[in-house]
Amino acid sequence: GNSVTQMEGPVTLSEEAFLTINCTYTATGYPSLFWYVQYPGEGLQLLLKATKADDKGSNKGFEATYRKETTSFHLEKGSVQVSDSAVYFCALSDSTNAGKSTFGDGTTLTVKP
Amino acid sequence: SAVISQKPSRDICQRGTSLTIQCQVDSQVTMMFWYRQQPGQSLTLIATANQGSEATYESGFVIDKFPISRPNLTFSTLTVSNMSPEDSSIYLCSVGQDSGNTIYFGEGSWLTVV
């Protein structure tokens, strides 16, 4: 079956530091990959996505590249802000599995001024 | 992108009661799902809401506890029946577009059972 493994948290960084949150996956088909962000007290927002190998998703300074050879989709940002403090979820959706999403456990990021 | 509205956004419920959560989408969608997020946890798929037929439940979830309706391509309901404190969670409606290549979530319904 499908699975997503995320870097364990929590992660604490100083403002303007470089961020990497690792995500690897296993899937039976050809999944689409997603990063979602959940700010305190809110629902999930789609942060970025990639639908095929070598695609790069980007949004709000965050980037992630779909690496089929390493089955990875690591989230990066060059300079984090306090407002980036949130829980980040890596997920995949497999069209052969009727679009169901499989989620990682989530990584809590805290950015300190 | 699809706009998904859930109601209620938050509620405090008495043990033993049932609550129905509504999910409205601003466009017709084929794939619609219900997830649960327990405190501090990741998301777990409860079921796929099938239009015009019975929902498809994941292992560990049953229709008697979580009855689901999907009368058309833009609307679904999830009922949490005979609630206990263990049911205190965020319940999220999700839709898939582009053959599952894009998945969107509602803001969630935050339920606390006392």
Side-chain angles (χ1 to χ4, degrees), chain B residues 12-24:
Chain B
I12 299 174
C13 307
Q14 295 295 317
R15 186 193 302 249
T17 63
S18 299
L19 181 78
T20 296
I21 302 166
Q22 299 180 3
C23 176
Q24 179 74 54

Side-chain angles (χ1 to χ4, degrees), chain A:
Chain A
N2 297 340
S3 67
V4 175
T5 302
Q6 256 182 264
M7 168 177 157
E8 286 188 23
V11 174
T12 302
L13 296 173
S14 298
E15 206 164 22
E16 300 184 3
F18 184 85
L19 168 71
T20 299
I21 301 178
N22 290 338
C23 172
T24 58
Y25 68 90
T26 58
T28 53
Y30 299 94
S32 295
L33 302 174
F34 307 87
W35 277 100
Y36 292 89
V37 58
Q38 187 174 36
Y39 297 104
E42 299 185 12
L44 264 71
Q45 298 178 25
L46 178 62
L47 180 60
L48 54 84
K49 69 171 185 175
T51 59
K52 61 183 187 297
D54 300 325
D55 268 2
K56 177 185 283 188
S58 61
N59 186 25
K60 300 181 181 180
F62 291 89
E63 293 183 340
T65 301
Y66 189 144
R67 302 284 188 201
K68 189 176 178 183
E69 63 276 11
T70 55
T71 62
S72 65
F73 193 56
H74 305 322
L75 182 68
E76 296 182 337
K77 186 175 185 181
S79 176
V80 294
Q81 306 301 312
V82 172
S83 58
D84 294 326
S85 297
V87 182
Y88 292 82
F89 291 94
C90 184
L92 69 83
S93 173
D94 184 352
S95 60
T96 67
N97 198 23
K100 296 178 188 177
S101 297
T102 302
F103 285 82
D105 289 338
T107 301
T108 301
L109 170 67
T110 301
V111 181
K112 297 189 172 180

Side-chain angles (χ1 to χ4, degrees), chain B residues 14-15 17 27 30 33-34 55 66 70 80 97 100 102 106-107 109-110:
Chain B
Q14 295 295 317
R15 186 193 302 249
T17 63
S27 59
T30 305
F33 308 94
W34 287 97
F66 298 101
R70 178 121 189 245
V80 186
Q97 294 186 312
T102 307
E107 286 295 310
S109 297
W110 301 60

